[in-house]
Amino acid sequence: MRLDKFLKVSRLIKRRTVANEISDMGRVFINGNPSKPAKQIKEGDIIEIEYATKTLKAKILTVPQGAVSIQQAPSLYEIIE
């Protein structure tokens, strides 16, 4: 699954266009490396998102194959810091 789509379905970022913009600005990292929106993610990857005032670090637990309900979204990742 693409990084921008995962960020949207997991509800880490509310809209896919916003996920694209943040990734293009170099504020999203996978395993410590800056990542583009089309980067393929896999289970076990560490995502870091730099917001204006904080940094969110999460480990991907599951990569969904289809639609994800709002109740299932938090089970896709684990917040590390």
Side-chain angles (χ1 to χ4, degrees):
M1 177 177 279
R2 289 171 51 113
L3 172 62
D4 57 345
K5 186 168 184 181
F6 179 81
L7 292 174
K8 191 235 180 254
V9 299
S10 66
R11 273 78 169 177
L12 287 171
I13 296 179
K14 294 192 185 226
R15 288 186 295 274
R16 192 167 175 180
T17 54
V18 174
N20 276 323
E21 291 170 5
I22 291 173
S23 295
D24 285 336
M25 290 190 308
R27 294 172 44 194
V28 179
F29 300 86
I30 295 181
N31 300 325
N33 299 316
S35 297
K36 295 294 179 185
K39 170 84 172 150
Q40 293 295 315
I41 59 162
K42 60 187 180 305
E43 293 177 11
D45 283 346
I46 305 293
I47 295 178
E48 292 179 63
I49 305 169
E50 292 180 350
Y51 294 103
T53 59
K54 65 177 182 173
T55 300
L56 175 83
K57 194 173 192 180
K59 180 179 181 179
I60 299 172
L61 300 177
T62 307
V63 178
Q65 298 301 321
V68 176
S69 71
I70 207 164
Q71 291 83 16
Q72 295 171 322
S75 68
L76 301 177
Y77 60 89
E78 172 187 8
I79 299 296
I80 298 174
E81 293 177 11

